[in-house]
Each structure stands twice: as structure tokens, then as C-alpha cells.
Amino acid sequence: MEAALRQLPETVPALTLPAEAPAKAKAGPAPLPAVPTDRVARWLRLHRGQLRAMALGLVSIAIFVAIWQLLTVNRATFYVRFTNVPSPADVLDRAILAFHNPIFGEHIWMSCRRIVYGFTLASSVAIPLGLLMGRFQILREIVFPICEFTRPIPAIAWVPMAIMLWPTNEESIVFITFLGSFFPILINTLQGMATVDPVLVRAARCLGAREASVFREVYLPASLPQIFTGLTVGMGVAWVSLIAAEMISGQFGIGYFTWEAYSLVQYSDIALGMITIGVLGLGSSFAIRVLGRIVMPGGTAR
Amino acid sequence: MAGTARGLIEVHDFCLRYETMEGAVDAVSDVSLNVQPGEFVSIVGPSGCGKSTLLNALAGFLTPSGGTVTVDGEAISGPSADRGMIFQQYSLFPWKTVRENVEFGLKMKGVSRSERERRARTLLGLAGLTPFENHYPDRLSGGMKQRVGIVRALATGPRILLLDEPFGALDAQTRLIMQQILTNMWQRLKISVLFVTHDIDEAIFLSDRIYVMTARPGGIKAEVAVPLPRPREPSMTLSSEFLGLRRGLMSLIREESIRAMGGEVSLDSLKGLAINLEGQDLSAVL
């Protein structure tokens, strides 16, 4: 007891968060709140914010699914008609079936492959081009006007042209995906170059850095956060463009799967296709975020 | 240190002119000054008088429109690690750790990784920054960032150090400490320093000599020697000698500041208000 008393004054105020105190006081009849010494309790306390966000996220998704279920089972109609919309349970059944069917895996695989090709090509052209355009005004003055007038054309509008341009369907779809992600990456890289702090460039030159070193050591790392913004946006647009292209001209691919489901009156598959696209999009932007953390160890946004 | 002639800065009739639609405008005209090897010299003057312009010419970022700017007799043809520069804005590379920042100049010189690391560690130790060597700059205070900036500029062993209001963004206390750190490093390295500031106390406390610049177009108004003994202690700022220098410099700069403001105010902006500043004694107001 004596030990506990001695311990309390120094540990309790330091460890207990103010917001937690009333909850604890209510929690038990014990006269003194337990001093959380074990690591699990500490971890829980330190990650309270994240845990709450996760719990709330799960609850809100559950509510969304529940409302969906209610609307579809009762075939609700109030201007919007849920008569033909599949219920979550139907979609789940179809999903289980689909995952046992190798064709569905093939659809996903084809879409992912097209994204990887188109997106990788776009990044490997747009990033160096953006860096060079940012550094050399002449190049910017030559290339920018072309960009400005091709940029507003949505990638989907390129579909007929792409089919004419490329010998195979596969190539034209990759081309559409490339176009979709190209401009966001290019524009953001340019923006990143434009916002490089000139004092950093001057500091580097005062320390003996020549042109190539300034480029590698200052311009590139200073633009990286903005480049990654471009990659994230570009990835989103790549999916939009891919799905549209697949719906119009694909054989295989998750966009094609979704459109085919509509044509074949497989309504559950429409929702399954949509959810799959959502999950794939989420996964790919997560992958870019992870890549960003690896490439920028000092963190982003400065 | 060997090489006694290392770091002699000579500026003769330096002019900087730029073109506008109304014709050529002189930003700085006919500035002549020198910094002897191992000397600490400050430039003070009203804002916009071209102090920084002069420093930028010495760093190699600007080409003079007239006159010569030399270091050890050599004309300056561009930025070089021979002339270290510290900016008012913190200029550490945010994506590099403190030690990587300090190593940067050595890396540009092609010094091997292990040698770079060794030298950077030594310098960081001298500056009391060892505990922070693996920190990224965003975790450092303003004073610490500027200390790293100084260490980084010194790492390549420059002949001269140019400082452009380096402590302008720091609070008064940190400023005093930074001034002492800079003096200590300067005395140890025996490097020539040209220090631009608008803070008169700072200029007196740090310098062997002070140049006072006139309002635009900037020129040299006066050259003031600071005979205070070294090492300097913060208590000296209260000595009669210090205060005498301060009073003299204050009145020199005040004249120029009024001239700078009068020049601006008498332009079109205030014409309609019929305010005539000429001949009025503004020193009471300012």
C-alpha cells in the first residue's frame, strides 16, 4: 500500500489522458484507478484515435449494407427504383461463385495488367518530361501548348481513335489507360518543379553543386511530394479510363465483366464488378502511398 | 593557419544596373570595400539599399554591371564552394538528415563516403549538434537549423563566408547565442567574413569593421572601425564604447532611412495629399 501511494502521484498525472479520467471514474467502484503499466493498455491508449476511426468506419459500412439490404429486399420505389437491384446477400452468393471460377480471376488479372502497363508507361514518360520541362523553359514553351489542348480531351473520347491507331485491342486499351494517367502526373511534376524553393537551389550551388547535381539532389527530391500527388491522381484516372475502355471495346477485364453482366441480365454481377473495381482502385492507391513512404523517408509535405 | 593571403575580398567601384521601360536604374553604384584575410566585416544600411545585391555578386549569382569583385585577386565567375553563403531563410535540404546536409558540399567535391562522414561528425561535434545528426531539419528549432547551415557552409573549407541577415528570423535570445557561436567558429577557423545585417547591435558585437550603406542607389556612406577587444562578451553591449559606436551608427543609418522613405513617399502616391517632406525634420517623428 505504501508503495502504491508513493507510485501514484508521479505516474497517474503523467499517464492518464484528461479525456479518459471521467470514463475511468465511472467505470468502477475502486477508489483508485488502476495504473496501466502493461504494454497492451499503453498501446490501446496511444492508438485510441485510430481504433475509434476504424470502429466507426466498420459501423458506417455495416449501416450502408444494412440500408442496401432493406431497400432491395423490400423492392423500394420512390422515384429511384430498387426493384431490379441485387441485395448484398445476392452479391455475396455471386462473389463466392465467382471466386471459384477461374474466369473471374482472369478478368481481374487482365485489368491489373493493363493498369500496370499503362500507368508505368505514363509515369516513366511524364515524370522525366515534367522534370525537364520544369528545368528548361524552352522545352516547356515547346511542349506545353500541345499538352494544354490535348489535356481537356477525356481519355474515353480517345477510344475510337485508339482503336484505329493500334493494331490490337489490348494495345489500344493500354493506350487509353496511359493517356488517362499521363496528364495528372505531368502537370503535378511540373507544379512540383515550379514550387522548388529557389533558396535551396542557391544553397546547393554555393556548396559546389553543378547542373546535374542540382537536378538530382535538389529539384528531384523537392518535387517528389508533388510527383506522388500526381501518381495518386493519375492512378485514379487510369482506372476510370481503363473501365470505360473495357466497357466499350474489351474482351476480358473487370469493366468488360461489369458491362457483360448488364447485357446478360446478371444483375448481381454488376454490383460484384463495381465492388471489385472499388477494391482494386483502393489497393492501387494504397500501393502508391507505400511506395511514397519508401522513396521519401523524411516524410512528405514540407 | 597557413596561407595568410587566403580570403582577401576586394570590391572596386561595383555597380549594378537593371533595365526598365523608363531606362536603366542603378540599384548599387560605385561601391568599394575590402575584407582582409581573417577579418570580420559587416554591412549595415536601410532596407533596399543593395546590401544583399552586393553579397549575391560575391557569391557569384550576379554579374556586376561595372567595377570588379575579386577574392584573392581572382574575379568571380559563378557560385563556388570556396565562398560559403548563409541565407536568412533556412536553406537546409528537408529531405536530408542533419549530417547528410553537412556532407553535401563534400559530396559535391567527390570526397568518399567514409571521409565525408568523419568530417561531418567532427564539425557537428564542434557545434554541439551530435545528438541531432540523424534528425531531419523539420524537427529542429530555427536556431539549430541556422547552426547546421553554418556548419554545412564551413564543411568544404571555404575561403570566405557570406552571411545575408542569417539571424533575422530568430528571437532575441537565440540571436545572442548564435552570435557567440558564430564568433567562436570564426575565431577558430580564421576565415574572412562578410556579414549583412540591419541590426546595429549585432554588427558592432560581431565585427572588426562596419560599412554603412546609403539608400538607393546603394553606395558606401561610412566605414566604422570597432575597436572593442576580443573575445567579446555580452556585457560589453552596455559599455560606453559600445554605446558610443551605437549612437554614431544609429544617426548615420537614420539619415539614410529617412532619405529612403522620403524618396518613396514623394512619389505619385502622396502627391494629391500635398505633403511636402522636404526640409522637414523627421528625426523627431521617426
Side-chain angles (χ1 to χ4, degrees), chain A residues 11 14 30 48-49 60 68 71 73 104 122 129 141 160 169 181 188 249 252 267 269 295:
Chain A
T11 46
R48 238 160 31 128
S60 87
W68 174 13
L71 289 170
V73 166
F104 187 68
L129 183 65
E141 283 162 357
N169 226 4
S181 46
N188 276 284
S249 72
F252 282 114
Y267 294 140
D269 281 350
V295 176

Side-chain angles (χ1 to χ4, degrees), chain A residues 263-286:
Chain A
S263 315
L264 300 177
V265 208
Q266 296 286 347
Y267 294 140
S268 299
D269 281 350
I270 296 176
L272 176 61
M274 287 168 67
I275 292 169
T276 311
I277 294 165
V279 170
L280 291 174
L282 201 68
S284 43
S285 51
F286 178 74

Side-chain angles (χ1 to χ4, degrees), chain B residues 116-134:
Chain B
R116 285 200 312 253
E117 219 175 288
R118 197 185 61 76
R119 282 205 236 169
R121 286 226 164 92
T122 311
L123 278 166
L124 286 169
L126 284 174
L129 289 164
T130 306
F132 308 99
E133 66 170 330
N134 292 320

Side-chain angles (χ1 to χ4, degrees), chain B residues 159-171:
Chain B
R159 279 186 273 180
I160 63 172
L161 196 58
L162 307 165
L163 299 103
D164 190 0
E165 304 200 21
F167 310 142
L170 303 178
D171 63 84

Side-chain angles (χ1 to χ4, degrees), chain B residues 15-69:
Chain B
C15 290
L16 198 96
R17 209 168 288 123
Y18 59 91
E19 295 290 329
T20 66
M21 286 303 286
E22 282 74 42
V25 175
D26 281 343
V28 180
S29 73
D30 297 329
V31 167
S32 294
L33 58 80
N34 64 76
V35 180
Q36 297 303 312
E39 198 182 17
F40 199 121
V41 174
S42 290
I43 302 177
V44 294
S47 50
C49 72
K51 305 178 291 242
S52 300
T53 307
L54 186 61
L55 219 56
N56 279 325
L58 274 161
F61 291 120
L62 291 172
T63 319
S65 317
T68 56
V69 178

Side-chain angles (χ1 to χ4, degrees), chain A residues 200 202 206 213 217 221 302, chain B residues 56 80-81 94-96 107 138:
Chain A
L200 295 181
R202 299 208 306 158
C206 270
S213 306
E217 302 275 350
R302 279 186 228 233
Chain B
N56 279 325
S80 141
W95 49 87
K96 289 182 185 285
K107 188 177 176 186
D138 64 346

